Amino acid sequence: MSKKILFVLTSATVAPWGKSTGYWLEEVAAPYNHLTALGYEIEIASIAGGVPRVDETSTMEPYTSEDTHKFIADPVATAKMSSTRPIEEYVERAQKGEFACVFLPGGHGAAIDFSPSAGLKSVIEGCYGANGVVGAVCHGCAGLVTAIDPATGEPLVKGKTVTGFSDVEETQIGLFGVVPFSIEAEFKRLGSNYKATEAWGPLVCVHDRVVTGQNPKSSKQVGEKLAELLA
């Protein structure tokens, strides 16, 4: 199996509700650190290419961690983040099975530009159709709602046990009904078995070759579960 993994980050910088946004640092850093330590080669793409914007809140206490500090101090990781390529450039490579896994970190930016991206949809379907693993955490799960399982023609999450940022959590931060859609509601509508634990508690679901995490605190465990599937 390939040792290459593709991380895909949001390119959104300003949310429709008027606040700056981007990717959530912990959701990139914790899986990246765990998987690179195991020898996986990680490429980082973004929806539009260029330098993806970090949600500045995720760089502040109490949201930082040993993983976030390690990531931002890693010159290889920071170099990758400074020159991402647009997701469309990875479609053919994903379809050819070049990546063992495609992983979607979150941040509210992902709720804005993941689901409208035809390129991201094609990369997810290409990787999964080539027997690869698909992972997502928190609002990164928004990227799964349009994906189709190439083998069945059905939604990728249909019949699978999955999680993602919950309606309770969205309500607690005042963005339920403000974000473009509810991940929880969409997953249920698509026929998945959606699960959630208490707000802000870690939860990871693994079903076949799909790994999903509920929120930022699930990030490290998502990386661990991805590694188990890829071993």
Coordinates of all heavy atoms in Angstrom, one line a residue, residues 24-27 55-69 173 200 216-217:
W24 N -8.7 24.7 11.5 CA -8.4 24.6 13.0 C -7.1 23.9 13.2 O -6.9 22.7 12.8 CB -9.6 23.9 13.7 CG -9.6 24.1 15.1 CD1 -9.1 23.2 16.1 CD2 -10.1 25.2 15.8 NE1 -9.2 23.8 17.4 CE2 -9.9 25.0 17.2 CE3 -10.7 26.4 15.4 CZ2 -10.3 25.9 18.2 CZ3 -11.1 27.3 16.4 CH2 -10.9 27.1 17.8
L25 N -6.2 24.5 13.8 CA -4.8 24.0 13.9 C -4.7 22.6 14.5 O -3.9 21.8 13.9 CB -3.9 25.0 14.7 CG -2.4 24.7 14.8 CD1 -1.8 24.6 13.4 CD2 -1.7 25.8 15.6
E26 N -5.3 22.4 15.6 CA -5.2 21.0 16.2 C -5.6 19.9 15.3 O -5.0 18.8 15.3 CB -6.0 21.0 17.5 CG -6.1 19.7 18.2 CD -4.8 19.3 19.0 OE1 -4.0 20.2 19.2 OE2 -4.7 18.2 19.4
E27 N -6.6 20.2 14.5 CA -7.1 19.1 13.6 C -6.2 18.8 12.5 O -6.3 17.7 11.9 CB -8.5 19.6 13.1 CG -9.5 19.7 14.2 CD -10.8 20.4 13.8 OE1 -11.1 20.3 12.5 OE2 -11.5 20.9 14.6
D55 N -7.5 29.6 11.5 CA -8.4 30.3 12.4 C -7.6 30.7 13.6 O -7.1 29.9 14.4 CB -9.5 29.3 12.8 CG -10.6 30.0 13.7 OD1 -10.3 30.9 14.5 OD2 -11.8 29.7 13.5
E56 N -7.4 32.0 13.8 CA -6.5 32.5 14.8 C -6.9 32.0 16.2 O -6.0 31.9 17.1 CB -6.5 34.0 14.7 CG -5.8 34.5 13.5 CD -5.8 36.0 13.4 OE1 -6.2 36.7 14.3 OE2 -5.2 36.5 12.4
T57 N -8.2 31.8 16.4 CA -8.6 31.3 17.8 C -7.9 30.0 18.1 O -7.6 29.7 19.3 CB -10.1 31.1 17.8 OG1 -10.7 32.4 17.5 CG2 -10.6 30.7 19.2
S58 N -7.7 29.2 17.1 CA -7.1 27.9 17.3 C -5.6 27.9 17.7 O -5.0 26.9 18.1 CB -7.3 26.9 16.2 OG -6.5 27.3 15.0
T59 N -5.0 29.1 17.5 CA -3.6 29.3 17.9 C -3.4 29.9 19.3 O -2.3 30.2 19.7 CB -2.9 30.2 16.9 OG1 -3.4 31.6 17.0 CG2 -3.1 29.8 15.5
M60 N -4.5 30.1 20.0 CA -4.5 30.7 21.3 C -4.9 29.7 22.4 O -5.6 28.7 22.1 CB -5.5 31.9 21.4 CG -5.2 32.9 20.3 SD -6.5 34.2 20.3 CE -6.1 35.1 18.9
E61 N -4.4 29.9 23.6 CA -4.9 29.1 24.8 C -6.4 29.3 24.9 O -6.9 30.4 24.7 CB -4.1 29.5 26.0 CG -2.6 29.3 26.0 CD -2.3 27.8 26.0 OE1 -3.1 27.0 26.2 OE2 -1.1 27.5 25.6
P62 N -7.1 28.3 25.3 CA -6.7 27.0 25.7 C -6.7 25.9 24.6 O -6.8 24.7 24.8 CB -7.8 26.6 26.8 CG -9.0 27.2 26.2 CD -8.6 28.5 25.6
Y63 N -6.7 26.4 23.3 CA -6.9 25.5 22.2 C -5.6 24.9 21.7 O -5.6 24.1 20.8 CB -7.7 26.2 21.1 CG -9.0 26.8 21.6 CD1 -9.2 28.1 21.7 CD2 -10.0 25.9 22.0 CE1 -10.4 28.7 22.2 CE2 -11.2 26.4 22.4 CZ -11.4 27.8 22.5 OH -12.6 28.3 23.0
T64 N -4.5 25.4 22.2 CA -3.2 24.9 21.7 C -2.8 23.6 22.5 O -3.4 23.3 23.5 CB -2.1 26.0 21.8 OG1 -2.0 26.4 23.2 CG2 -2.4 27.1 20.9
S65 N -1.8 22.9 22.0 CA -1.4 21.7 22.6 C 0.0 21.4 22.3 O 0.7 22.1 21.5 CB -2.3 20.5 22.1 OG -2.0 20.3 20.7
E66 N 0.6 20.3 22.8 CA 1.9 19.9 22.4 C 2.0 19.6 20.9 O 3.0 20.0 20.3 CB 2.3 18.6 23.2 CG 3.6 18.1 22.9 CD 4.0 16.8 23.7 OE1 3.2 16.5 24.6 OE2 4.9 16.1 23.3
D67 N 0.9 19.1 20.4 CA 0.9 18.9 18.9 C 0.9 20.1 18.1 O 1.6 20.2 17.1 CB -0.3 18.0 18.5 CG -0.1 16.5 18.7 OD1 0.9 16.0 18.2 OD2 -0.9 15.9 19.4
T68 N 0.2 21.1 18.5 CA 0.2 22.4 17.7 C 1.5 23.1 17.8 O 2.0 23.6 16.8 CB -0.9 23.4 18.2 OG1 -0.7 23.7 19.5 CG2 -2.3 22.7 18.0
H69 N 2.1 23.1 19.0 CA 3.5 23.7 19.1 C 4.5 23.0 18.3 O 5.3 23.6 17.6 CB 3.9 23.7 20.6 CG 3.0 24.5 21.5 ND1 2.7 25.9 21.2 CD2 2.4 24.3 22.6 CE1 1.9 26.4 22.1 NE2 1.7 25.4 23.0
I173 N -21.9 27.5 20.3 CA -21.1 28.6 19.9 C -21.8 29.6 19.0 O -21.3 30.5 18.4 CB -19.9 28.1 19.1 CG1 -20.3 27.3 17.8 CG2 -19.0 27.2 20.0 CD1 -19.1 26.9 16.9
W200 N -18.2 18.5 23.0 CA -16.7 18.8 23.2 C -16.0 17.6 23.7 O -14.8 17.7 24.0 CB -16.5 20.0 24.1 CG -17.3 21.2 23.7 CD1 -18.4 21.7 24.3 CD2 -17.3 21.9 22.4 NE1 -19.0 22.7 23.6 CE2 -18.3 22.8 22.4 CE3 -16.4 21.8 21.3 CZ2 -18.5 23.7 21.4 CZ3 -16.7 22.7 20.2 CH2 -17.7 23.6 20.3
P216 N -12.6 19.0 17.7 CA -11.1 19.2 17.8 C -10.5 18.2 18.8 O -9.4 17.7 18.5 CB -10.9 20.6 18.2 CG -12.1 21.3 17.7 CD -13.3 20.4 17.8
K217 N -11.2 17.9 19.9 CA -10.6 16.9 20.8 C -10.5 15.5 20.3 O -9.9 14.7 20.9 CB -11.4 17.0 22.1 CG -11.2 18.3 22.9 CD -11.9 18.2 24.3 CE -11.6 19.5 25.1 NZ -12.3 19.5 26.4

